[in-house]
Amino acid sequence: MKQDASAENNPLFRPYMRAVAAIGACILLSSACQVPLAQLGIPYLLLSLVTICVASRIVIRFFRFDSCVSVSDTFIFLSMLQFDGEAAILLGAAESLFASFRVTKKPLTMMFNAAAMACSTFITVLALRLCFGSITDVARGSYSSRLIVMTCTMALVQYFFNSGIIAVAGALKTNQPILATYKKHYVWTSITYLTGALAASLTHKLIGMVGFYAFIATIPIIAVVYFTYKTYAKNVASSVLQAELAERHLAEMQESEERFRSAFDLAPIGMALVALDGRWLRVNHSLCQIVGYSEEEFKQMNFQAITHPEDIGHFLSNINRVLEGRLLTCQMEKRYIHKDGHEVWVLIGVSLIRDSESQSLHLIFQIQDITDRKRAEQQLVHEAFHDSLTGLPNRSWFMEQLKLSMEQAKQDYSRLFAILFLDLDRFKLINDSIGHMVGDQLLVGIAQRLQQHLRAGDKVARLGGDEFTILLNNIQDASEAVHVAERIQRHVAKPFNLGSYETFTTASIGIAIFNEEYEKPEDLLRDADTAMYQAKSLGKARHVIFDKGMHLHAMNLLTLETDLRRAIERREFFVMYQPIVSLKTGRLAGFEALVRWQHPERGLIYPDEFVSVAEETGCIVPIGQWMLLESCRQLKRWQENFALEMPLSISVNLSGKQFAHSDLLDQIMKTLDVTGLDPHSLKLEITESIVMQNIEGATKMIEQLRAIGVELSIDDFGTGYSSLSYLHRLPIDTLKIDRSFVTRIGENNENREIVRTIVMLAQNLGKAVVAEGVETKEQLEWLRNLKCQYGQGYLFSKPLDADSATNMLAKMAETKSIIPTLEGILELDDIEPLASAYPM
Ligand code: C2E
Ligand code: CA
Ligand code: CA
């Protein structure tokens, strides 16, 4: 047995080696002295040669114990039986020295190995001599049993001491306990010692029978046995190797399984092992927490049971792709249903694994709870697509839905759908008069009613302001859309109780029905909007279905708008002056300035066609300013050029936009300043609705205007809201009775009574009255009977351009007469003397 010292760990290792070497040297020395050289001769030399050169190279390995012995032990035992103890000691040491020379060049190690052999053989010789007397005697004796016992003793003592000495060295070298080292490397070698010793005694017996050279004959036998052993050992080695590999593999697998198991159980994310049929085989703690089920409860279910029904299809198709090998692993976001019933959003990764024990395929799920992120995302999406006030979806969302419906309808033209464009009729009024808070509450209330009264599948959105849109999917025909619009209008019109206010509003609805000509969602919305405008202009609280004519009309409006903006710079506007006449005297009291537009292509355009557009676009402000300046300048000129008994006045119409403009007072003062017109000659006409939109603000403005001497008239009186209730509070000078009442004076009593009431009311309040639209003599007579002070109408004069008006004035100044058109209509004696004529 050889020991190679390479690294020494224990400090005793080297001293121990040296001590053994020293003892060995002494033993060798004494053995060398005692050996009977004469008896040894050639046979001993031959045996030594075979032992050192051949036998020591034949090594038997113990695979599992990482140790080996050489056949040379047999020969050393043989030499002991044949040539006595000292010869064996010398041969053993020599063989050991040569054998260790082949594996190490370290002198100490070589010496130790030789000495260890010398020592153990010495002790063996000593022990045998003590027990059996002379070794050679027993060996040559005829008692085979004695020889067997001695052989066994020889083997055991040799084994015990030789392996003992070397085991101590090994233990010191590796710093391991001696017994453990011994057990690990040397226990099994006892067998080779025994077989070696028995082989030696057999050979010895053979030599005894046949003569020493029979020993040479054993060499081929030994060689055959050896090579048989070699082949056997090789097989054993490879199977041992395989067994070891398998064992190591098993250990590794167990280890990795262990690792996997703890990684699985302790993972901060949910993990699950799932059978191909969907049963949960194993789930970890994190997953139990994510969905609220215990591991036992999980094992009673399959994964479909806790998956959100809407997500199952997609998930299964992904899993199939993994099972078919088209995907190595798949990842997706989906919803589970928590044990409590709420949704849990998870990011799930699925891959396929083979179970190491059963070899069957399983799915492994890795599951992360992403509910918080999903909620945040959904919140963001919600905010992007919803209106914060009413909670309804917004325009972006609606346009997306519209696009979707259009795409579906284009696939299948039998799928008809429509959109409703809804605008509240009185919203601005409520918002401006009661306040934005109430306005907001009203919008929320409307939104709720719209949602409540839609059919399933219909979609409502708030576009902004008081505009709402509704998408009616899958309608049979246009009448179904009309039916829905009517129902909505009924519900919207019901009163709202908003805090201390009870208010109501109506809605105008435009309806656009999809057809294949529509390319873009925007076009459909635009047409519904156009139809809504049409509904408004027809008198509000209506619904109108869009037709192509409206689009044309809308297009005209659009070009009108562009043209209007240019018209101011191009000076395409001019003023017409319509006389206002004193009904008592028939004399001219003043003019109303009326705007006209000389369009380069379309010719003369009347205000009814463009004033509302100008108002909407804001163009009315510069147009109005120009009108004010032009008519004031004209009146001033007339006042300077014609000496009339009555100081003429000019009435200028103000639009709501102008009246609300912060600049108004400044503008008027500047105009009066620039033209030099007496403020008392200027009358501004505003409609009732302008005043009603903001009574307080209007009153304040009127007071400021009156403070500088300008007068105010209420135009179209009688057509607006609660005309009479607020009238006494308004600091206005004149009421202009709307043309519609005057025109129909002759038709029935009711109109006559209205006119009478307005005239009397004005008289009681000390305000002047002008009757508009006087066209007939009868109307004039009626008005004169009612003591209405002033009249304006075609009966007296159509609006005149500046030149015609100048001519008329020149004529009147010359003759000091009444307005020319009245001549012959009024009997002269009807005309009051000038002196009693009331000033306007
Ligand atoms: P309005 O202020 O009520 O003006 C009177 C309208 O009645 C004028 O129409 C006039 O031509 C018409 N008229 C006068 N007498 C008779 C009659 O006996 N029979 C009939 N059938 N009609 C009569 P016009 O000039 O077309 O103006 C229409 C409306 O346009 C005006 O109604 C006024 O509201 C608005 N408007 C006119 N000029 C201006 C302006 O410079 N600024 C603003 N903001 N609005 C204006
Ligand atoms: Ca007017
Ligand atoms: Ca009027």
Side-chain angles (χ1 to χ4, degrees), residues 147-203:
L147 178 63
I148 290 166
V149 176
M150 189 179 75
T151 305
C152 291
T153 313
M154 175 175 72
L156 288 177
V157 177
Q158 177 75 354
Y159 153 73
F160 186 74
F161 284 96
N162 188 265
S163 55
I165 293 166
I166 290 170
V168 171
L172 287 176
K173 186 189 171 196
T174 54
N175 236 347
Q176 297 283 319
I178 295 171
L179 205 66
T181 313
Y182 190 83
K183 268 190 196 160
K184 188 172 174 198
H185 296 286
Y186 306 106
V187 170
W188 289 96
T189 56
S190 58
I191 295 169
T192 55
Y193 279 88
L194 272 173
T195 45
L198 286 173
S201 68
L202 272 175
T203 314

Coordinates of all heavy atoms in Angstrom, one line a residue, residues 147-203:
L147 N -0.2 -24.7 9.6 CA 0.2 -23.7 8.5 C -0.9 -22.7 8.2 O -0.7 -21.5 8.0 CB 0.7 -24.5 7.3 CG 1.1 -23.6 6.1 CD1 2.4 -22.7 6.5 CD2 1.4 -24.4 4.9
I148 N -2.1 -23.3 8.1 CA -3.2 -22.4 7.7 C -3.5 -21.3 8.8 O -3.6 -20.1 8.5 CB -4.5 -23.2 7.5 CG1 -4.4 -24.1 6.2 CG2 -5.8 -22.3 7.4 CD1 -5.4 -25.1 6.0
V149 N -3.4 -21.8 10.1 CA -3.6 -20.8 11.2 C -2.5 -19.8 11.1 O -2.8 -18.6 11.2 CB -3.7 -21.5 12.5 CG1 -3.8 -20.5 13.7 CG2 -4.8 -22.5 12.6
M150 N -1.3 -20.2 10.9 CA -0.2 -19.3 10.9 C -0.4 -18.3 9.7 O -0.1 -17.1 9.9 CB 1.1 -20.0 10.8 CG 2.3 -19.1 11.0 SD 3.9 -19.9 10.9 CE 4.1 -20.1 9.2
T151 N -0.7 -18.9 8.6 CA -0.9 -18.1 7.4 C -1.9 -17.0 7.7 O -1.7 -15.8 7.4 CB -1.4 -18.9 6.2 OG1 -0.5 -20.0 6.0 CG2 -1.5 -18.1 5.0
C152 N -3.1 -17.4 8.3 CA -4.1 -16.4 8.6 C -3.6 -15.3 9.6 O -3.8 -14.1 9.4 CB -5.3 -17.1 9.2 SG -6.2 -18.1 8.0
T153 N -2.9 -15.8 10.6 CA -2.3 -14.9 11.6 C -1.4 -13.9 10.9 O -1.4 -12.7 11.1 CB -1.6 -15.6 12.7 OG1 -2.4 -16.7 13.1 CG2 -1.2 -14.7 13.9
M154 N -0.5 -14.5 10.0 CA 0.5 -13.7 9.3 C -0.3 -12.6 8.5 O 0.1 -11.4 8.6 CB 1.2 -14.6 8.3 CG 2.2 -13.9 7.4 SD 3.1 -15.1 6.5 CE 1.9 -15.8 5.4
A155 N -1.3 -13.1 7.8 CA -2.1 -12.1 7.0 C -2.7 -11.0 7.8 O -2.6 -9.8 7.5 CB -3.2 -12.8 6.2
L156 N -3.3 -11.4 8.9 CA -4.1 -10.4 9.7 C -3.1 -9.4 10.4 O -3.4 -8.2 10.4 CB -4.9 -11.1 10.8 CG -6.2 -11.8 10.1 CD1 -7.0 -12.6 11.2 CD2 -7.0 -10.8 9.4
V157 N -2.0 -10.0 11.0 CA -1.1 -9.1 11.7 C -0.5 -8.1 10.7 O -0.4 -6.9 10.9 CB 0.0 -9.9 12.5 CG1 1.0 -8.9 13.1 CG2 -0.6 -10.8 13.5
Q158 N 0.0 -8.7 9.6 CA 0.6 -7.8 8.5 C -0.4 -6.7 8.1 O -0.1 -5.6 8.0 CB 1.0 -8.7 7.3 CG 1.6 -7.9 6.1 CD 3.0 -7.5 6.4 OE1 3.5 -7.6 7.5 NE2 3.6 -6.9 5.4
Y159 N -1.6 -7.2 7.8 CA -2.7 -6.3 7.4 C -2.9 -5.2 8.4 O -2.9 -4.0 8.1 CB -4.0 -7.1 7.1 CG -5.2 -6.2 7.3 CD1 -5.5 -5.2 6.3 CD2 -6.1 -6.3 8.4 CE1 -6.7 -4.4 6.5 CE2 -7.2 -5.6 8.6 CZ -7.5 -4.6 7.6 OH -8.6 -3.8 7.8
F160 N -3.1 -5.7 9.7 CA -3.4 -4.7 10.7 C -2.3 -3.7 10.9 O -2.7 -2.5 10.9 CB -3.6 -5.5 12.0 CG -4.1 -4.6 13.2 CD1 -5.4 -4.2 13.2 CD2 -3.3 -4.2 14.2 CE1 -5.9 -3.4 14.2 CE2 -3.7 -3.4 15.2 CZ -5.0 -3.0 15.2
F161 N -1.1 -4.1 10.9 CA 0.0 -3.1 11.2 C 0.3 -2.3 10.0 O 0.5 -1.1 10.1 CB 1.2 -3.8 11.9 CG 0.9 -4.1 13.3 CD1 0.5 -5.3 13.7 CD2 1.1 -3.1 14.3 CE1 0.3 -5.6 15.1 CE2 0.9 -3.3 15.6 CZ 0.4 -4.6 16.0
N162 N 0.4 -3.0 8.9 CA 0.8 -2.2 7.7 C -0.3 -1.1 7.4 O 0.0 0.1 7.2 CB 0.9 -3.1 6.5 CG 1.5 -2.4 5.3 OD1 0.7 -1.9 4.4 ND2 2.8 -2.2 5.2
S163 N -1.6 -1.6 7.3 CA -2.6 -0.6 7.0 C -2.7 0.4 8.2 O -3.0 1.6 7.9 CB -3.9 -1.2 6.7 OG -4.3 -2.1 7.8
G164 N -2.5 0.0 9.4 CA -2.6 0.9 10.5 C -1.6 2.0 10.4 O -1.9 3.2 10.6
I165 N -0.3 1.6 10.2 CA 0.8 2.7 10.1 C 0.4 3.7 9.0 O 0.5 4.9 9.2 CB 2.2 2.0 9.8 CG1 2.6 1.2 11.1 CG2 3.2 3.1 9.5 CD1 3.7 0.3 10.8
I166 N 0.0 3.1 7.8 CA -0.3 4.0 6.7 C -1.6 4.9 6.9 O -1.6 6.0 6.6 CB -0.4 3.2 5.4 CG1 1.1 2.7 5.1 CG2 -0.9 4.0 4.2 CD1 1.1 1.7 4.0
A167 N -2.5 4.2 7.6 CA -3.8 5.0 7.9 C -3.5 6.2 8.8 O -4.1 7.2 8.6 CB -4.8 4.1 8.5
V168 N -2.6 6.0 9.8 CA -2.3 7.1 10.7 C -1.7 8.2 9.9 O -2.0 9.4 10.0 CB -1.3 6.6 11.8 CG1 -0.8 7.8 12.6 CG2 -2.0 5.6 12.7
A169 N -0.7 7.8 8.9 CA -0.1 8.9 8.1 C -1.2 9.6 7.3 O -1.2 10.8 7.2 CB 0.9 8.3 7.2
G170 N -2.0 8.8 6.7 CA -3.1 9.4 5.9 C -4.0 10.3 6.7 O -4.3 11.4 6.2
A171 N -4.3 9.9 7.9 CA -5.2 10.7 8.7 C -4.5 12.0 9.1 O -5.1 13.1 9.1 CB -5.6 9.9 10.0
L172 N -3.2 11.9 9.4 CA -2.5 13.1 9.8 C -2.4 14.0 8.6 O -2.5 15.3 8.7 CB -1.1 12.7 10.3 CG -1.0 12.1 11.7 CD1 0.4 11.7 12.0 CD2 -1.5 13.1 12.7
K173 N -2.2 13.4 7.4 CA -2.0 14.3 6.2 C -3.3 15.1 5.9 O -3.2 16.3 5.6 CB -1.6 13.4 5.1 CG -1.3 14.2 3.8 CD -1.2 13.3 2.6 CE -1.1 14.2 1.4 NZ -1.3 13.4 0.2
T174 N -4.4 14.4 6.0 CA -5.6 15.0 5.6 C -6.4 15.6 6.8 O -7.4 16.2 6.7 CB -6.6 14.1 4.9 OG1 -6.8 12.9 5.8 CG2 -6.0 13.6 3.6
N175 N -5.7 15.5 8.0 CA -6.3 16.0 9.2 C -7.7 15.4 9.5 O -8.6 16.1 9.9 CB -6.4 17.5 9.1 CG -5.7 18.2 10.3 OD1 -5.4 17.5 11.2 ND2 -5.5 19.5 10.1
Q176 N -7.8 14.1 9.2 CA -9.1 13.4 9.4 C -8.9 12.5 10.6 O -7.8 12.1 11.0 CB -9.5 12.6 8.2 CG -9.7 13.4 6.9 CD -11.0 14.1 6.9 OE1 -12.0 13.5 7.4 NE2 -11.1 15.3 6.5
P177 N -10.0 12.1 11.3 CA -9.8 11.1 12.4 C -9.3 9.8 11.8 O -9.6 9.4 10.7 CB -11.3 10.9 12.9 CG -12.1 12.0 12.2 CD -11.4 12.5 11.1
I178 N -8.4 9.2 12.6 CA -7.7 8.0 12.1 C -8.7 6.8 11.8 O -8.6 6.2 10.7 CB -6.7 7.5 13.2 CG1 -5.6 8.6 13.4 CG2 -6.1 6.2 12.8 CD1 -4.7 8.3 14.6
L179 N -9.6 6.6 12.7 CA -10.6 5.5 12.5 C -11.4 5.7 11.2 O -11.5 4.7 10.5 CB -11.5 5.4 13.7 CG -12.1 4.0 13.9 CD1 -11.0 3.0 14.3 CD2 -13.2 4.0 15.0
A180 N -11.8 6.9 11.0 CA -12.6 7.2 9.8 C -11.8 6.9 8.5 O -12.2 6.3 7.6 CB -13.1 8.6 9.8
T181 N -10.5 7.3 8.5 CA -9.6 7.1 7.4 C -9.4 5.7 7.2 O -9.4 5.1 6.1 CB -8.3 7.8 7.7 OG1 -8.5 9.1 8.2 CG2 -7.4 7.9 6.4
Y182 N -9.2 5.0 8.3 CA -9.0 3.5 8.2 C -10.1 2.8 7.6 O -10.0 2.0 6.7 CB -8.7 3.1 9.7 CG -8.2 1.6 9.7 CD1 -6.9 1.4 9.5 CD2 -9.1 0.6 9.9 CE1 -6.4 0.1 9.6 CE2 -8.7 -0.7 10.0 CZ -7.3 -1.0 9.8 OH -6.9 -2.3 9.8
K183 N -11.3 3.2 8.1 CA -12.5 2.5 7.6 C -12.7 2.8 6.1 O -13.1 1.9 5.4 CB -13.8 3.1 8.4 CG -14.1 2.3 9.6 CD -15.5 2.8 10.1 CE -15.8 2.4 11.5 NZ -16.8 3.2 12.1
K184 N -12.5 4.0 5.8 CA -12.7 4.4 4.4 C -11.8 3.7 3.4 O -12.3 3.3 2.4 CB -12.6 5.9 4.3 CG -13.0 6.5 2.9 CD -13.0 8.0 2.9 CE -13.3 8.5 1.5 NZ -12.9 9.9 1.4
H185 N -10.6 3.6 3.8 CA -9.6 3.1 2.8 C -9.1 1.7 3.0 O -8.7 1.0 2.0 CB -8.4 4.0 2.8 CG -8.7 5.4 2.4 ND1 -8.9 5.7 1.1 CD2 -8.7 6.6 3.1 CE1 -9.2 7.0 1.0 NE2 -9.1 7.6 2.2
Y186 N -9.2 1.2 4.2 CA -8.4 -0.1 4.5 C -9.1 -1.3 4.9 O -8.6 -2.4 4.9 CB -7.3 0.2 5.5 CG -6.4 1.4 5.0 CD1 -6.5 2.6 5.6 CD2 -5.5 1.2 3.9 CE1 -5.8 3.7 5.2 CE2 -4.8 2.3 3.5 CZ -4.9 3.6 4.1 OH -4.2 4.6 3.6
V187 N -10.4 -1.2 5.3 CA -11.1 -2.3 5.8 C -11.1 -3.5 4.9 O -10.7 -4.6 5.2 CB -12.5 -1.9 6.2 CG1 -13.4 -3.2 6.6 CG2 -12.5 -1.0 7.4
W188 N -11.4 -3.2 3.6 CA -11.6 -4.2 2.6 C -10.3 -4.9 2.2 O -10.3 -6.0 1.7 CB -12.3 -3.7 1.4 CG -13.8 -3.5 1.8 CD1 -14.4 -2.3 2.1 CD2 -14.8 -4.5 1.8 NE1 -15.7 -2.5 2.4 CE2 -16.0 -3.8 2.3 CE3 -14.8 -5.9 1.6 CZ2 -17.2 -4.5 2.5 CZ3 -16.0 -6.5 1.8 CH2 -17.2 -5.8 2.2
T189 N -9.2 -4.2 2.4 CA -7.9 -4.7 1.9 C -7.5 -6.0 2.7 O -6.7 -6.7 2.3 CB -6.8 -3.7 2.0 OG1 -6.7 -3.3 3.4 CG2 -7.0 -2.5 1.1
S190 N -8.2 -6.2 3.9 CA -7.8 -7.4 4.7 C -8.0 -8.6 3.9 O -7.3 -9.6 4.0 CB -8.7 -7.4 6.0 OG -10.1 -7.4 5.6
I191 N -9.0 -8.6 3.0 CA -9.3 -9.8 2.2 C -8.1 -10.1 1.3 O -7.7 -11.3 1.2 CB -10.6 -9.5 1.3 CG1 -11.8 -9.4 2.3 CG2 -10.8 -10.7 0.3 CD1 -13.0 -8.9 1.6
T192 N -7.5 -9.1 0.7 CA -6.4 -9.4 -0.2 C -5.2 -9.9 0.6 O -4.4 -10.8 0.1 CB -5.9 -8.1 -0.9 OG1 -5.6 -7.1 0.0 CG2 -6.9 -7.6 -1.9
Y193 N -5.1 -9.4 1.8 CA -4.0 -9.9 2.7 C -4.2 -11.4 2.9 O -3.3 -12.3 2.8 CB -3.9 -9.2 4.0 CG -3.2 -7.9 3.9 CD1 -3.8 -6.7 3.5 CD2 -1.8 -7.8 4.1 CE1 -3.1 -5.5 3.4 CE2 -1.1 -6.6 4.0 CZ -1.8 -5.5 3.7 OH -1.1 -4.3 3.6
L194 N -5.5 -11.7 3.2 CA -5.8 -13.1 3.5 C -5.6 -14.0 2.2 O -4.9 -15.0 2.3 CB -7.3 -13.2 3.9 CG -7.5 -13.1 5.4 CD1 -9.0 -13.0 5.8 CD2 -6.8 -14.2 6.2
T195 N -6.2 -13.5 1.1 CA -6.0 -14.3 -0.1 C -4.5 -14.4 -0.5 O -4.0 -15.4 -0.9 CB -6.8 -13.8 -1.3 OG1 -6.6 -12.4 -1.3 CG2 -8.3 -14.1 -1.2
G196 N -3.8 -13.2 -0.4 CA -2.4 -13.2 -0.7 C -1.6 -14.2 0.2 O -0.8 -15.0 -0.3
A197 N -1.9 -14.2 1.5 CA -1.2 -15.1 2.4 C -1.5 -16.6 2.1 O -0.6 -17.4 2.0 CB -1.6 -14.8 3.8
L198 N -2.8 -16.8 1.8 CA -3.2 -18.2 1.4 C -2.5 -18.7 0.1 O -2.0 -19.8 0.0 CB -4.7 -18.3 1.3 CG -5.5 -18.3 2.7 CD1 -7.0 -18.2 2.5 CD2 -5.1 -19.5 3.5
A199 N -2.5 -17.7 -0.9 CA -1.8 -18.0 -2.1 C -0.4 -18.3 -1.9 O 0.2 -19.3 -2.5 CB -2.0 -16.9 -3.1
A200 N 0.2 -17.5 -1.0 CA 1.7 -17.7 -0.6 C 1.9 -19.1 0.0 O 2.8 -19.8 -0.4 CB 2.1 -16.6 0.3
S201 N 1.0 -19.5 0.9 CA 1.2 -20.8 1.6 C 1.0 -21.9 0.6 O 1.6 -23.0 0.7 CB 0.4 -20.9 2.8 OG -1.0 -21.0 2.5
L202 N 0.0 -21.7 -0.3 CA -0.2 -22.8 -1.3 C 1.0 -22.9 -2.2 O 1.5 -24.0 -2.5 CB -1.4 -22.4 -2.2 CG -2.8 -22.9 -1.7 CD1 -3.9 -22.3 -2.5 CD2 -2.8 -24.4 -1.6
T203 N 1.6 -21.8 -2.7 CA 2.7 -21.8 -3.5 C 3.9 -22.5 -2.8 O 4.7 -23.2 -3.3 CB 3.1 -20.4 -3.9 OG1 2.0 -19.7 -4.3 CG2 4.2 -20.3 -5.0

